[in-house]
Amino acid sequence: SVSLNKVGQVAQQQGRWGDAQAGYEESLGIRRRLTEMLGDTPESLRDLSVSLNKVGQVAQQQGRWGDAQAGYEESLGIRRRLTEMLGDTPESLRDLAVSLYKLGECHEQRQALTEAVDCFQEGLMIGQRLAELQPDIPACTEVSSYFSEKLD
């Protein structure tokens, strides 16, 4: 699945969206099977959520907002579960914030502004929590600024 993700990334960078989609979707299928085989381990769930985001990104780039939203929503659900399992770790909170941002963008594009604002407000709170946990790491302290810009 890692190799297929790399193939998808190269295709995406070259603007070959169909090839990127094929690579990411095949990787997603493998990660779903791995999660079934291994169970809901934090690693298998995180890998699954990353693959869902990749599929969502390709759909978003192609203007297929419904497909992008479906991938992002499933990823968000998994990332919520991971946060429940692992607690407020910087990695789980950052991943949760990424999913909320991407889903919020989809809602914006689909003119579902109330849902977009909800995503961005929750993301802002998570960004503030990240900054509390890791005040010396710029990537953690900057998260809330991305959401603030969306809410302005």
Side-chain angles (χ1 to χ4, degrees):
S1 74
V2 172
S3 293
L4 288 163
N5 263 341
K6 299 274 186 204
V7 168
Q9 286 173 340
V10 169
Q12 185 175 352
Q13 289 171 348
Q14 295 175 342
R16 295 182 296 115
W17 299 109
D19 293 338
Q21 180 179 345
Y24 290 147
E25 285 183 359
E26 189 173 351
S27 176
L28 175 60
I30 291 169
R31 288 191 172 171
R32 285 191 193 282
R33 288 194 305 275
L34 283 170
T35 301
E36 288 173 11
M37 290 171 43
L38 302 173
D40 289 348
T41 66
E43 184 178 6
S44 66
L45 288 173
R46 184 172 190 279
D47 287 348
L48 181 58
S49 73
V50 168
S51 283
L52 286 161
N53 271 352
K54 298 279 188 188
V55 169
Q57 285 173 351
V58 170
Q60 183 176 354
Q61 288 294 322
Q62 295 175 323
R64 296 183 294 112
W65 294 101
D67 293 338
Q69 182 176 334
Y72 293 150
E73 284 177 346
E74 187 176 353
S75 178
L76 176 61
I78 292 168
R79 288 176 172 187
R80 286 190 193 284
R81 285 179 52 207
L82 282 168
T83 302
E84 290 172 13
M85 290 170 66
L86 303 173
D88 285 354
T89 66
E91 182 181 60
S92 66
L93 290 174
R94 187 195 63 77
D95 286 349
L96 192 55
V98 167
S99 285
L100 286 163
Y101 191 86
K102 290 179 178 299
L103 184 57
E105 284 186 323
C106 279
H107 288 313
E108 271 186 325
Q109 288 297 320
R110 300 184 85 191
Q111 299 299 310
L113 300 182
T114 300
E115 290 86 350
V117 168
D118 290 346
C119 286
F120 297 142
Q121 285 178 335
E122 184 179 353
L124 179 61
M125 291 187 312
I126 290 168
Q128 291 166 344
R129 178 73 178 124
L130 261 174
E132 290 171 10
L133 290 172
Q134 301 284 310
D136 298 330
I137 299 176
C140 291
T141 58
E142 294 169 357
V143 169
S144 56
S145 66
Y146 297 117
F147 291 101
S148 294
E149 290 173 13
K150 286 291 192 174
L151 291 167
D152 285 341

